[in-house]
Amino acid sequence: MPEAIAAIAGRLQGKQGKGGLDKQALPGLAAAAMTAFKEGDPITLNRLYGRSQGKPLRARQQGLVDNLLPQIAVPADGPVTSAALFGDERPLHFEIGFGGGEHLAYRADLLPDHGFIGAEPFLNGVAQALTHIEDQRLGNIRLHHGDAIEVLQRVPDGALTMLYLLHPDPWPKARHAKRRMMNDGPVELFAQKLKPGGELRFGTDHAVYLRHALMVMQRHTDLFEWVVEKPSDWQLRPSGWPETRYEHKARTVYGHEVWYFRFRRR
């Protein structure tokens, strides 16, 4: 819904227009500082940022990385198709930066006849996801330890039913804004890989990133329709969207609000 995006984006820039939202509609956003535009995005930068590993893995986690991960890893080369990954034709879901894998495992358990691809550069998160996969005996997940963009580019156009980007690194400094996954290049790639009617889900607890993301999506209303009718649509977690440990910590430890967005591929 272009009008909804324009209304929020305009209000956050301090513009009062028809359909403009009160500051209370998206708490904290009206006062958030807008980051300066920096040329480039994750597509053109072609590199990963941030940590690749934290604490040493526990014995079980290391065993899963050594033994289970090779069995369910996305192949290093070739098209990333349902047939290549699962041996049949089924709806495909892709999660970028799955953290500890709670959301990925929940969705895969909820939809056992669908296929799920998760990409995560942080080894500790991959190890946690492997624990969920083994404990829940999930055979419909394939993992990539590394750059999500590299795998996503090998997915055939129009092959994805759902694409998830939940609590990505906000890169709050202006000079780092080009590292954000919600930028023009990635959004155009998302549209390319989603089938018509497919859905992009985006969640964040970072007000500056939220404003940046809405500005980006406003530029791509020809590709995506925001699935929204009322404020509760972005203020309340939709059905089938579980709370992750990261989101719980954002709420309970840091006192952040969390916002949920669904964009449908036109």
Side-chain angles (χ1 to χ4, degrees):
M1 185 181 294
E3 296 83 0
I5 295 179
I8 293 181
R11 180 60 180 172
L12 297 181
Q13 288 177 307
K15 297 177 181 178
Q16 179 66 56
K18 185 177 181 180
L21 299 177
D22 294 335
K23 292 181 180 181
Q24 289 78 14
L26 291 174
L29 293 185
M34 185 61 186
T35 56
F37 174 77
K38 297 290 182 179
E39 189 173 350
D41 58 44
I43 299 292
T44 58
L45 293 174
N46 195 31
R47 61 160 294 184
L48 285 172
Y49 295 89
R51 297 185 302 161
S52 60
Q53 186 171 356
K55 297 179 181 178
L57 300 181
R58 296 188 292 272
R60 182 193 177 194
Q61 291 178 325
Q62 188 63 59
L64 292 172
V65 169
D66 293 339
N67 300 303
L68 179 56
L69 181 57
Q71 299 177 41
I72 64 171
V74 175
D77 301 297
V80 179
T81 65
S82 174
L85 297 180
F86 303 103
D88 56 22
E89 295 300 326
R90 60 177 69 190
L92 279 180
H93 302 234
F94 197 112
E95 183 163 352
I96 298 174
F98 55 73
E102 300 100 328
H103 175 271
L104 186 66
Y106 177 94
R107 295 291 292 174
D109 185 56
L110 186 68
L111 300 167
D113 56 340
H114 290 210
F116 289 80
I117 306 166
E120 171 61 53
F122 192 52
L123 180 61
N124 299 69
V126 173
Q128 291 171 16
L130 290 168
T131 302
H132 291 300
I133 291 169
E134 182 177 67
D135 289 346
Q136 297 176 238
R137 300 181 181 181
L138 300 171
N140 58 334
I141 295 178
R142 299 294 181 265
L143 300 182
H144 175 68
H145 174 216
D147 185 6
I149 294 296
E150 186 275 325
V151 175
L152 190 58
Q153 289 174 328
R154 293 192 284 128
V155 173
D157 292 353
L160 295 181
T161 296
M162 301 279 289
L163 198 152
Y164 310 97
L165 180 64
L166 309 181
H167 299 280
D169 195 320
W171 296 113
K173 296 181 181 179
R175 67 178 183 273
H176 294 156
K178 61 187 178 182
R179 302 180 186 180
R180 294 173 184 162
M181 195 60 69
M182 285 296 274
N183 263 306
D184 293 306
V187 167
E188 290 167 5
L189 181 63
F190 301 162
Q192 184 180 341
K193 302 306 176 181
L194 281 165
K195 67 179 184 180
E199 188 172 305
L200 166 64
R201 290 190 176 183
F202 164 66
T204 186
D205 62 304
H206 196 279
V208 173
Y209 197 155
L210 172 55
R211 185 159 81 167
H212 173 91
L214 289 177
M215 300 295 182
V216 171
M217 294 307 292
Q218 187 181 13
R219 296 197 290 269
H220 297 285
T221 53
D222 59 324
L223 300 175
F224 287 99
E225 175 189 8
W226 185 7
V227 183
V228 63
E229 293 182 355
K230 54 190 181 301
S232 62
D233 292 333
W234 70 77
Q235 294 170 342
L236 302 178
R237 189 184 311 104
S239 175
W241 185 331
E243 182 183 52
T244 64
R245 282 184 294 172
Y246 182 94
E247 179 185 335
H248 182 75
K249 184 176 181 180
R251 288 185 184 282
T252 60
V253 176
Y254 300 112
H256 291 178
E257 271 197 82
V258 180
W259 300 285
Y260 312 88
F261 293 86
R262 299 170 57 210
F263 297 97
R264 183 183 296 124
R265 180 69 168 96
R266 293 187 183 277

